[in-house]
Amino acid sequence: MRADVECHSCGSRGMAIFYQVDNIPVHSCLLMPTREAALQYPKRDLCLGFCEVCGFIQNTVFDPSVHEYSSRYEETQAFSPRFTQFARDLVGRLIERYDLREKDILEIGCGKGEFLVLLCEMGQNRGIGIDPGYIAERTTSEAAPRIRFIRDFYSEKYAPLTADFVCCRHTLEHIQPTRAFVQMARDAIRNRPDTVVFFEVPDVARVLKEQAFWDLYYEHCSYFSMGSLARLFRSCGFEILDLTKDFSDQYLLIETRPGKGSAGRAFAGERDLDELARDVKRVEATLPSKLKAWQHEIQQRKTRGQRVVIWGSGSKAVAYLTTMGIGSEIDYVVDINPYKHGMYLAGTGHEIVPPKFLQEYRPDVVIIMNPVYCDEIRRDLEQMGVTADLIAV
Ligand SMILES: [Zn+2]
């Protein structure tokens, strides 16, 4: 227990430290044009603390000043049919539920803008997207004239931007101080009680249960469960309209509007404090041996002369390799995103290659960094005539 650490979500003092990895790259999705740049990229430590009061988990030694979210930040998952279908289904559901037709949409942290474009295309809406990593040339849509993109971080100065629907996806987990950010979003709509606010973040409860160490990395400084996310939004003056999981239960989705935190119903899965505390203890006790088992497996395959590649070059791959200290045991990392080909993985310096590279390389084993993509990866490999053992993490 570290008594001096303050929880960035509820403000309580004292966090139970349960997981530490030193010297990992501060970014995992930034494009690295050379192996040297990738190897020399700045590194810091991850030291996760659990708040027993609200269930929030944070990197207790996080330094936001080291981050550079810019157009070199390549996070898009839009090249995956599975992910695109998930986004389309979600947009369709949100449009139906909140009648988002010819409305004003604001997206905080819109990345390359794909989700906002979908909302504006499918509902004939108007949009404003804010993200320092936005790249204008990537947006080709009939809805583009109705959307304004601002290359910047969201801050108080954007409070005058009004909207019927505010969304913020996979952004909050990159932010500390966490509560101040949610409160800022709430304060911006203080005179618009009908505004619906939607946030989406990874679910840490699953990460703890599966001991998925590849989901714990420096870019993510804040980790939420159903309960800790609900408690944070209620305490900032939101009424929760819905709280669900999606994308094979990997993501948490919270739909809210301004209102008393006590208003609205309680949701299934919210009372998770005891279970989180148990799972945090289990991670502390057993994750080190799980790590050793993975390391052993990969080293064994290398010793047997097998060619092992990783499929998926996002944050999970960076965390998987750097946490285990894997280097030459694996030669390549595959990705379907053409913007990443010929680039290198931060921290370990692995080269990122296109799928067709495997036709010539002939791997024995493909480690899939997210089981949700197993079917589409198996299909791609079959079409190329590549036979390899598939291992999903
Ligand atoms: Zn707390």
Side-chain angles (χ1 to χ4, degrees), residues 6-12 14-15 50-56 58:
E6 183 180 335
C7 170
H8 280 296
S9 193
C10 77
S12 303
M15 284 202 137
F50 170 66
C51 174
E52 290 168 354
V53 178
C54 77
F56 183 61
Q58 72 191 37

Side-chain angles (χ1 to χ4, degrees), residues 150-323:
I150 301 170
R151 276 182 62 173
D152 197 0
F153 290 98
Y154 182 76
S155 67
E156 279 94 355
K157 76 175 174 189
Y158 295 113
L161 298 176
T162 55
D164 302 293
F165 184 80
V166 177
C167 53
C168 181
R169 301 175 63 238
H170 299 275
T171 298
L172 192 58
E173 65 271 27
H174 298 253
I175 289 169
Q176 264 186 24
T178 321
R179 184 196 171 81
F181 189 82
V182 175
Q183 194 65 60
M184 178 169 67
R186 174 66 183 86
D187 291 346
I189 53 169
R190 72 170 71 80
N191 300 321
R192 294 178 60 89
D194 296 330
T195 308
V196 172
V197 177
F198 169 76
F199 272 65
E200 185 180 315
V201 293
D203 176 23
V204 78
R206 178 197 62 86
V207 175
L208 296 174
K209 280 250 180 299
E210 295 179 7
Q211 309 215 355
F213 62 89
W214 46 88
D215 282 319
L216 304 169
Y217 42 88
Y218 200 84
E219 270 192 21
H220 285 183
C221 50
S222 300
Y223 298 84
F224 301 89
S225 68
M226 274 200 151
S228 67
L229 189 65
R231 285 183 274 280
L232 171 60
F233 273 78
R234 288 210 176 92
S235 75
C236 289
F238 286 101
E239 175 191 342
I240 300 173
L241 302 170
D242 207 355
L243 178 65
T244 52
K245 295 182 191 182
D246 205 334
F247 203 59
S248 288
D249 287 350
Q250 294 187 17
Y251 299 158
L252 295 176
L253 287 64
I254 190 165
E255 295 158 42
T256 70
R257 69 180 168 208
K260 280 206 172 60
S262 55
R265 62 187 177 96
F267 291 86
E270 261 192 76
R271 281 203 201 89
D272 56 6
L273 268 179
D274 291 346
E275 197 172 353
L276 285 170
R278 269 199 305 276
D279 288 343
V280 158
K281 284 213 167 67
R282 212 167 52 91
V283 164
E284 187 177 16
T286 60
L287 186 51
S289 55
K290 179 170 176 170
L291 266 169
K292 281 208 180 72
W294 266 109
Q295 283 166 324
H296 182 71
E297 155 111 30
I298 291 171
Q299 273 149 9
Q300 282 289 309
R301 288 181 183 274
K302 178 74 178 174
T303 309
R304 291 204 296 269
Q306 293 194 342
R307 295 176 172 193
V308 184
V309 298
I310 300 249
W311 191 300
S313 73
S315 298
K316 290 172 193 280
V318 173
Y320 179 80
L321 293 169
T322 54
T323 304

Side-chain angles (χ1 to χ4, degrees), residues 126-140:
R126 300 167 294 272
I128 299 175
I130 304 178
D131 197 296
Y134 176 69
I135 297 174
E137 305 81 74
R138 297 256 195 114
T139 304
T140 51

Side-chain angles (χ1 to χ4, degrees), residues 13 23 45 52 94 104 121 140-141 147 160-161 237 242 253 289 299-300 302 306 320 330 335 383 389:
R13 287 249 166 223
N23 243 353
D45 302 338
E52 290 168 354
L94 291 170
D104 291 302
E121 279 176 354
T140 51
S141 161
I147 308 175
L161 298 176
D242 207 355
L253 287 64
S289 55
Q299 273 149 9
Q300 282 289 309
K302 178 74 178 174
Q306 293 194 342
Y320 179 80
I330 290 174
D335 206 290
Q383 275 169 11
D389 291 342

